[in-house]
């Protein structure tokens, strides 16, 4: 029972971290989009001084994307409870089939 509660708390914490990383990822993507939009508008208005510099938000966007993917990969571990339930169902099925054969 304690192990089950611990695994539930661990999953809840992992989902919280995943949501936090996803929020940072979305914010970084939005900042990158806004910077690209400002640059394209500046170029169309004739102020092309910003056109040659690298985007400032790309580094933050890339690091946020990498962190989100890393947390997502660690969160996608196989669920031990589901595996245990699946094994119990298979064991009970084999026992029922064995009993039916014995009849």
């Amino acid at each position: 029972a304690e192990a089950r509660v611990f695994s539930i708390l661990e999953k809840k914490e992992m989902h919280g971290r995943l949501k936090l990383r996803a929020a940072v990822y979305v914010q970084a993507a939005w900042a990158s989009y806004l910077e690209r939009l400002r640059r394209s508008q500046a170029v169309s208005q004739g102020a092309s001084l910003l056109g040659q510099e690298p985007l400032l938000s790309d580094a933050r966007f890339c690091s946020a994307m990498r962190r989100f993917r890393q947390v997502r990969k660690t969160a996608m571990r196989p669920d031990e409870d589901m595996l245990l339930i699946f094994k119990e169902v298979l064991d009970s099925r084999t026992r029922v089939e064995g009993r039916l054969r014995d009849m």
Side-chain angles (χ1 to χ4, degrees):
E2 291 179 13
R4 183 178 172 95
V5 171
F6 177 75
S7 68
I8 290 171
L9 290 175
E10 189 178 62
K11 286 178 204 170
K12 185 177 179 182
E13 180 186 343
M14 182 63 70
H15 286 298
R17 278 191 278 162
L18 189 59
K19 286 181 182 179
L20 177 67
R21 293 289 183 203
V24 171
Y25 182 35
V26 168
Q27 288 174 349
W30 181 249
S32 180
Y33 167 75
L34 287 179
E35 188 175 358
R36 288 178 194 273
L37 183 65
R38 275 190 237 120
R39 290 212 180 171
S40 69
Q41 289 174 349
V43 168
S44 68
Q45 293 175 356
S48 63
L49 295 176
L50 296 174
Q52 302 300 324
E53 295 178 11
L55 292 174
L56 300 175
S57 60
D58 274 353
R60 183 171 179 244
F61 173 74
C62 291
S63 65
M65 181 178 59
R66 281 193 297 271
R67 285 190 208 118
F68 172 73
R69 287 181 176 174
Q70 183 181 19
V71 171
R72 187 182 63 191
K73 284 179 185 176
T74 58
M76 295 182 75
R77 292 181 298 177
D79 191 2
E80 291 86 12
D81 292 337
M82 292 303 292
L83 286 174
L84 182 64
I85 291 170
F86 181 70
K87 288 179 182 178
E88 288 175 356
V89 168
L90 286 179
D91 288 342
S92 63
R93 180 180 173 187
T94 55
R95 278 182 279 169
V96 168
E97 288 175 349
R99 287 180 188 162
L100 289 174
R101 270 187 263 136
D102 291 341
M103 292 181 157

